[in-house]
Amino acid sequence: MALRGTALHDLTETVLACVCAGLAAAADDVEGQPGCPCRACVVPGTVAWDSCEDPCSDQQAGGQLSVSVVRIYSSTNDSFPTESRVVQGVKGCALPPVTAVELAVTLLRCAPTFTEQGCPPDCTDLGTAARVLHVDMVTVYNALLCCLPGTAPHLRRGRRFVLGPSKTVGPEGGCVGLEQRVTVALPGCGCPAEATS
C-alpha cells in the first residue's frame, strides 16, 4: 500500500509547528529575542525571500519562517538516510521500507543595512543581529531534536530523522537568517496487514 496522499504535507506542517513553538519559547527565555514570525508557512519549492520586515502587529515577531521539501527518495531501515538503489517494480507496487524526506527550514530576520547617508551599520547593530541569529540557530536545531521524536506516536520507536547542516544565509536584500536541513523517515507502509479469508 502506498503512502497516504497527505503524508508529506502533514510532515511539513508538523515540522513548522515544532520550530514555531521552539521560537516562541526562546522569546520567553532570552531577553530581546523575537519569537516565531507572524509569517510562518509551508512553501512549495525554493523559498522566496518575501519578507523579513517588521512584525505584523505589536504582539507578533517579524521575519519569515518557512518549511519546504527539498527531495524525497527511497531508503532502507538499515541504511537510512542513505539513498537505496534497489530496483522497484519487480513485485508490483511494493514500497521501499523507508521513504526519506529531506526538508529545509528557513528562518529570515531583518539585517542591519546602510544608513540613508550611505554609512555601514555600526558594530552594536551587527552584534545584536548576530546574537538573534545565533539564538535562532540553536533554537531551530533544538526544536527539531526535541520535538520531532514525539510527533509519530503510532510508530513504536518514534519518528526517525537525521539533522543535517545548519548554515547562515544572507545578508541579502535586508534579510539574514539560517537554513536547517533535516531528513525524516516515513515508513514504507504503516498499515496493518490485510486480513486473509
Side-chain angles (χ1 to χ4, degrees):
M1 181 174 203
L3 292 170
R4 284 182 303 104
T6 61
L8 189 58
H9 189 71
D10 292 346
L11 174 63
T12 58
E13 291 283 353
T14 296
V15 168
L16 182 70
C18 282
V19 173
C20 200
L23 293 169
D28 292 338
D29 294 342
V30 180
E31 186 177 343
Q33 186 69 18
C36 184
C38 51
R39 184 173 175 80
C41 45
V42 172
V43 298
T46 304
V47 175
W49 289 28
D50 293 327
S51 176
C52 60
E53 299 171 351
D54 294 332
C56 306
S57 71
D58 291 340
Q59 289 78 36
Q60 295 178 307
Q64 175 178 309
L65 171 64
S66 53
V67 175
S68 60
V69 176
V70 176
R71 64 185 179 135
I72 62 173
Y73 58 93
S74 301
S75 189
T76 65
N77 286 317
D78 295 336
S79 67
F80 174 78
T82 304
E83 188 172 347
S84 171
R85 297 292 183 189
V86 174
V87 176
Q88 298 293 327
V90 178
K91 294 183 180 178
C93 184
L95 281 180
V98 174
T99 300
V101 180
E102 185 179 358
L103 302 174
V105 178
T106 307
L107 176 60
L108 303 173
R109 307 277 194 194
C110 285
T113 59
F114 285 90
T115 66
E116 291 179 6
Q117 293 77 29
C119 298
D122 63 34
C123 286
T124 302
D125 291 340
L126 291 171
T128 300
R131 181 176 184 269
V132 168
L133 174 60
H134 298 158
V135 172
D136 279 342
M137 291 181 90
V138 170
T139 301
V140 170
Y141 184 89
N142 286 342
L144 293 171
L145 192 63
C146 298
C147 177
L148 269 182
T151 61
H154 62 284
L155 298 176
R156 216 175 2 164
R157 296 181 182 169
R159 193 179 296 278
R160 295 173 62 201
F161 63 96
V162 174
L163 284 174
S166 178
K167 66 178 184 177
T168 57
V169 291
E172 184 178 325
C175 299
V176 68
L178 66 97
E179 180 189 83
Q180 171 72 60
R181 296 288 178 107
V182 61
T183 303
V184 183
L186 293 178
C189 181
C191 312
E194 291 183 11
T196 57
S197 51

